[in-house]
Amino acid sequence: MHPSVQNDTVQPRNPNYKDDIIYVTRYLKWILNSIGIWPAMLKGIRSFLPTITIVLSNIVLVFFEVQCMLYITLEEKDPLLRLRLLGLASYSLVSLLKYWALTMRKSRIKDCIEELNKDWKQVELQRDRTSMLKYGKIGRGLIVYCAVFLYCGNLFYATILQYAIGSQIDDDNRTIRILMYPMYSGLLDVQESPIYEITYILQCLCSIMMNAVICGCCGLAALFSTHICGQIDIVISQLNDLVDGKFSKKNCTTNTRLMNIVQRHTKILKFSAMFETVLQEVCLFEFVGTTFVICLVEYYCITDWQQNNKLGLLTYSVVLTSLTFNMYLWCYIGDLLIEKVSNIHFNS
């Protein structure tokens, strides 16, 4: 059970609110906990775990981003290879910027989650709970789809493409083992054991963290947007019941029902404003940065097609599909919210 539920003193009207909250937030909570963003009320030394996670994650992400940029600018001389590595560096930079944005808005994320918990706790009618669960299931599904596509693309890049590149022999007849992210040799020699093994493991963790950041951003948008859609459905059902009052409490007047509708609608608007504040920077980085990376990956697909590099073409095609699908999810979430908001006008 989420801590905010425990600390809320309002008497719950939904006896199943604990299970409902766990159902709609479980996967997103796992993802955001892994990068220290999900709000948690831990006591004692455990209260520092999210901060420690954020600090360590930033150190790893910044370290490999700087290493990659140093290698591209100072060590790699081939312009085509520089262009290929630019896509990786851009993808890492966009993920890092999103992570900073989430960290900066962590308190706002906590406020949104607490409001979401209160709404689940105070839902009274079964038809309203069913409507919220319907959209909660949609948000949960979007989180799963996003994670599957992102991690599949990352798996292809980390395994198949690295296998296709294989080991190389330098001018000194020394075997060069390939890493996921290039490392600038002016700082340390990563080809020696156990430095290579440690670096490879850290790079795998870095890749997992970047995907967690991207999936977490999309998951937050899906969770909050679908929750708003569920609340709008409740307002629409209340509007349809305004005159008859079949689903209202006994002795509840029309004015009282209208006042409840206005209060809920105002609450939706406030929640939407909080939601916008949380993800406004993330949306900017998503659409600008991801569009740039998609263009680069499309170029890689074209060049691999011309060079008959089937493994490279397969890998970049999977990466392109995952990035495009992630962008599609953002557009779908926005269209879903716009359509649902418009329904209030048509049903009023």
Side-chain angles (χ1 to χ4, degrees), residues 15-225:
N16 302 306
Y17 75 94
K18 297 178 183 178
D19 294 334
D20 294 342
I21 292 171
I22 291 174
Y23 177 79
V24 299
T25 63
R26 174 180 294 163
Y27 298 139
L28 180 61
K29 185 176 180 180
W30 290 349
I31 293 170
L32 293 183
N33 266 332
S34 66
I35 53 177
I37 297 300
W38 187 268
M41 299 296 292
L42 301 175
K43 297 181 179 180
I45 193 171
R46 295 178 59 195
S47 62
F48 296 99
L49 287 178
T51 303
I52 294 173
T53 302
I54 292 174
V55 172
L56 293 179
S57 299
N58 273 284
I59 290 175
V60 173
L61 290 172
V62 171
F63 175 75
F64 286 116
E65 177 66 21
V66 172
Q67 285 287 311
C68 188
M69 294 304 299
L70 287 176
Y71 180 85
I72 293 173
T73 56
L74 301 179
E75 192 165 338
E76 182 58 60
K77 304 303 180 184
D78 190 339
L80 293 179
L81 288 179
R82 279 184 171 180
L83 188 59
R84 282 187 175 269
L85 293 174
L86 180 62
L88 177 61
S90 301
Y91 182 81
S92 303
L93 180 60
V94 171
S95 300
L96 184 59
L97 291 174
K98 289 180 183 178
Y99 193 29
W100 288 346
L102 288 180
T103 304
M104 182 177 63
R105 300 297 186 184
K106 187 176 177 179
S107 60
R108 284 289 189 173
I109 294 174
K110 180 181 178 181
D111 293 338
C112 289
I113 293 175
E114 288 178 348
E115 288 299 318
L116 181 145
N117 290 338
K118 290 178 183 178
D119 288 339
W120 276 107
K121 196 172 183 179
Q122 296 305 308
V123 64
E124 295 183 81
L125 300 178
Q126 181 59 37
R127 64 167 187 172
D128 295 341
R129 177 174 176 263
T130 301
S131 178
M132 291 175 64
L133 282 174
K134 179 184 74 172
Y135 285 100
K137 184 177 181 180
I138 294 175
R140 177 186 168 109
L142 292 176
I143 296 170
V144 172
Y145 294 147
C146 179
V148 168
F149 273 84
L150 279 176
Y151 282 101
C152 283
N154 178 76
L155 183 63
F156 268 76
Y157 181 84
T159 56
I160 294 180
L161 188 60
Q162 301 302 314
Y163 172 79
I165 296 175
S167 301
Q168 300 177 354
I169 306 297
D170 63 4
D171 297 335
D172 298 327
N173 199 28
R174 187 178 64 163
T175 301
I176 303 298
R177 294 176 289 183
I178 303 300
L179 291 166
M180 292 177 61
Y181 302 94
M183 298 288 291
Y184 178 57
S185 59
L187 297 179
L188 73 163
D189 186 5
V190 296
Q191 295 302 317
E192 295 183 358
S193 295
I195 298 178
Y196 174 83
E197 288 76 11
I198 295 174
T199 303
Y200 184 80
I201 293 174
L202 288 176
Q203 288 189 353
C204 290
L205 293 176
C206 178
S207 180
I208 292 173
M209 284 189 293
M210 286 193 299
N211 285 323
V213 170
I214 296 174
C215 189
C217 293
C218 186
L220 283 173
L223 175 66
F224 295 152
S225 296

